[in-house]
Amino acid sequence: MNPLEAALCRAAVAGAVASGIVEPSLNLNLFISQVTPLALEIRAKGNIFVPLIPRNTSVPTMGDMRFTTIYDNQTVALIRVYEGEEKKAEQNHFLGYLKIMGIPAAPKGVPDINLCVDIDGEN
């Protein structure tokens, strides 16, 4: 199912229940679950994506990943976060970025950096 269609169907059912059109006492066995409609990914070296949270993951959820520096003596890392399913960055929706500063200067590949993303499901 298209992610937009899934979100609209969920919203329609939730609205019907909230307005009393569909009464929970009718025992229709409706189960409404929040999921991530698109994958949450970070842009790695070049223009490739590394998935952090896959599409259709139940919310709340947490994703984490370890990465390192790509240059010698790199003290800052810019993590670009996107949502989407396409292979190239410009074909996905840019959500924002995280700037990690204060990385100890070391040869590339030595620093061990852990990135953790938490989606809590609150509106």
Side-chain angles (χ1 to χ4, degrees):
M1 179 182 262
N2 178 311
L4 183 57
E5 290 174 2
L8 292 173
C9 285
R10 180 186 182 282
V13 170
V17 170
S19 67
I21 294 172
V22 176
E23 289 198 27
S25 62
L26 292 177
N27 195 14
L28 295 176
N29 293 326
L30 293 176
F31 178 72
I32 301 172
S33 175
Q34 282 188 321
V35 297
T36 57
L38 297 168
L40 190 65
E41 303 175 321
I42 63 170
R43 183 176 169 181
K45 182 180 179 184
N47 203 19
I48 60 171
F49 277 127
V50 178
L52 190 56
I53 298 177
R55 174 182 176 182
N56 293 331
T57 300
S58 295
V59 174
T61 189
M62 185 180 288
D64 68 342
M65 113 182 337
R66 291 195 176 283
F67 67 97
T68 189
T69 54
I70 57 174
Y71 303 110
D72 288 335
N73 301 315
Q74 182 177 344
T75 59
V76 176
L78 188 66
I79 311 294
R80 294 176 185 95
V81 182
Y82 293 83
E83 68 175 356
E85 302 292 319
E86 301 299 328
K87 299 283 186 208
K88 294 183 179 180
E90 61 271 2
Q91 296 172 328
N92 291 288
H93 182 244
F94 176 68
L95 295 176
Y97 65 89
L98 308 164
K99 187 174 186 178
I100 301 173
M101 302 185 325
I103 301 170
K108 67 180 177 182
V110 172
D112 190 25
I113 302 165
N114 187 36
L115 174 66
C116 180
V117 174
D118 183 8
I119 301 175
D120 64 10
E122 298 294 321
N123 293 331

